[in-house]
Amino acid sequence: MTPNDVRGDRSARNGVALAAALAMRGIECALEVRGALALLLPKPESVAALQVDENRRAVLALAKEHGFTHVAIELPSERRRSSTPPPDAPVLRD
Amino acid sequence: MAPDLDAVSEADLAAKTGTLAAWLRANAPVAIGYSGGVDSAYLAVTARQTLGAGGALAIIGRSASYPAEQWQTARDVAQRFDVTVLELDTAELDDPRYAANPSNRCYYCKTELWSRLVPVARARGFATVIDGTNADDLSDYRPGAQAAREHRVASPLAELGFTKLHIRHASRALGIPTWEQPSSPCLSSRLPYGTEVTRGRLRQVELAEAALRRLGIAGDLRVRFHDDLARVELAPAELSTWLAPERMAVLTEAVLEAGFARVALDLRGFRSGSLNVLHGVSAA
């Protein structure tokens, strides 16, 4: 997965730069931009890191720096797994 | 997280409750727009205790945007404190201006509510109609307040400087169970502006939130509707718990059951007016 794994609306916010900044911080994830919402699709180890308050605060600060007002992580689901590529699979782009 | 009621001084609260009682006596009898939320429950109980059974009438406007759980709370509080209740159906979803979900959606909802409620109240001899708007509400974007003004609905709690903390504190003193209940705006507030409000979408949100409550989430909670995606906001103190793999799986399944295809957990957690911020209506 690379910081270029960004899909969705890329016009107003810098999702590519945010994904790169998160990776530098050790949070590896694909990122879907939905307006001012950055939707993270993290690897399992990155989800574990997000259980730590300090890491969440860092993610929120980075997201704000890159123009996002909201950050959420998509929760993995057995039910969705059959129809959705895992976070480290190639991601569709608009 | 429990509200910090110590932030309110007893002297301040006693002064405020005294002025409220005087206000109610001066404007009696009163009809209250009643939802069973923290503010209107306090107002209805206080009006009942100050003015007697004949001096206060709590009126509930029922529609698809009003959660069933909230209605049950409203009925329970009224029964416990012997508040007379009248129920009316409202049809804001049939108004295309409301259903289109503009940023002033609340204006159309409250216009519908007050245009039905006020004539009924006045026909029953209640010249004064009041709502539970509080002083904190005045700092947020609340287009519904304009509809209240147009229908001459008074907001004594806001007028007399009652904040949410004052109301929670005073409610606890009166034994009103809503004192620690999270704020509970209508279900349409979970849909971003511009996303059409339909009964199906409101039902989806309501089912998802009810399922999460059944998992034991008692504090602040919102399921925000983003088409196929449900974005769950929990109290920040709850986030670490629900990011644990086994809890996350339970939460996810509960929300998917309500009809969403994808579930996300907001990393900042609950914030009032979150969708206003997301859509640039108020500051981040």
Side-chain angles (χ1 to χ4, degrees):
Chain A
M1 181 162 39
T2 73
N4 290 327
D5 288 339
V6 175
R7 64 187 180 190
D9 166 21
R10 301 169 73 183
S11 57
R13 280 100 192 168
N14 199 337
V16 173
L18 174 59
L22 292 172
M24 295 270 287
R25 173 89 199 180
I27 309 285
E28 293 212 38
C29 55
L31 196 151
E32 181 176 329
V33 177
R34 297 173 74 123
L37 167 66
L39 181 62
L40 313 184
L41 300 92
K43 287 183 169 179
E45 57 270 28
S46 295
V47 175
L50 291 171
Q51 283 183 261
V52 179
D53 291 351
E54 184 189 342
N55 290 337
R56 283 202 305 278
R57 278 197 294 273
V59 170
L60 291 169
L62 285 171
K64 190 174 179 183
E65 271 177 36
H66 290 83
F68 295 92
T69 59
H70 291 65
V71 192
I73 65 162
E74 180 164 9
L75 305 181
S77 158
E78 291 295 327
R79 209 185 294 194
R80 247 182 80 73
R81 198 158 290 165
S82 58
S83 59
T84 309
D88 55 352
V91 176
L92 299 172
R93 303 169 201 290
D94 63 354
Chain B
M1 187 164 39
D4 179 16
L5 299 188
D6 292 338
V8 176
S9 82
E10 294 293 340
D12 181 23
L13 194 66
K16 279 203 162 30
T17 54
T19 56
L20 178 59
W23 192 99
L24 290 168
R25 285 191 199 96
N27 292 280
V30 299
I32 305 112
Y34 178 58
S35 68
V38 179
D39 306 320
S40 68
Y42 171 66
L43 195 55
V45 171
T46 302
R48 165 66 182 85
Q49 294 186 344
T50 305
L51 306 175
L57 175 65
I59 306 183
I60 298 174
R62 292 193 70 180
S63 74
S65 66
Y66 180 57
E69 187 183 18
Q70 179 87 37
W71 172 77
Q72 191 58 55
T73 300
R75 295 301 305 239
D76 291 347
V77 168
Q79 186 171 21
R80 181 161 162 186
F81 291 89
D82 192 29
V83 176
T84 306
V85 170
L86 179 68
E87 293 191 8
L88 301 173
D89 288 328
T90 60
E92 62 273 14
L93 265 76
D94 296 339
D95 180 346
R97 296 169 300 176
Y98 176 90
N101 201 7
S103 60
N104 64 342
R105 177 196 68 232
C106 296
Y107 171 77
Y108 298 110
C109 176
K110 295 299 184 188
T111 296
E112 163 70 4
L113 173 70
W114 299 127
S115 67
R116 290 184 185 247
L117 190 154
V118 170
V120 169
R122 299 213 165 117
R124 289 170 178 253
F126 293 86
T128 305
V129 179
I130 59 180
D131 73 4
T133 302
N134 68 50
D136 295 331
D137 295 334
L138 302 178
S139 59
D140 197 6
Y141 175 64
R142 305 267 174 168
Q146 186 188 338
R149 284 192 296 275
E150 288 173 2
H151 288 81
R152 296 184 185 174
V153 174
S155 303
L157 297 175
E159 196 180 306
L160 302 173
F162 277 79
T163 64
K164 195 74 153 190
L165 266 184
H166 287 121
I167 295 163
R168 289 189 186 283
H169 201 307
S171 295
R172 186 175 67 171
L174 292 175
I176 307 171
T178 50
W179 75 269
E180 60 178 347
Q181 175 178 290
S183 296
S184 46
C186 84
L187 292 170
S188 298
S189 68
R190 279 47 152 194
L191 276 59
Y193 295 129
T195 299
E196 186 186 2
V197 181
T198 67
R199 286 173 175 80
R201 288 169 174 172
L202 297 178
R203 184 72 182 142
Q204 240 181 304
V205 168
E206 182 173 24
L207 286 174
E209 291 191 359
L212 294 178
R213 292 288 184 210
R214 285 196 296 277
L215 294 180
I217 297 171
D220 288 314
L221 164 68
R222 299 285 187 276
V223 172
R224 308 287 188 188
F225 180 97
H226 298 273
D227 298 307
D228 59 330
L229 175 79
R231 180 171 55 85
V232 178
E233 292 183 355
L234 303 177
E238 296 274 329
L239 285 173
S240 294
T241 303
W242 290 96
L243 281 165
E246 66 282 3
R247 304 298 290 276
M248 211 160 55
V250 172
L251 182 148
T252 305
E253 285 306 307
V255 177
L256 291 176
E257 242 349 271
F260 288 97
R262 305 168 67 187
V263 185
L265 188 60
D266 192 281
L267 290 183
R268 179 161 161 176
F270 168 75
R271 49 180 150 163
S272 179
S274 167
L275 289 174
N276 287 352
V277 175
L278 192 58
H279 293 271
V281 179
S282 62

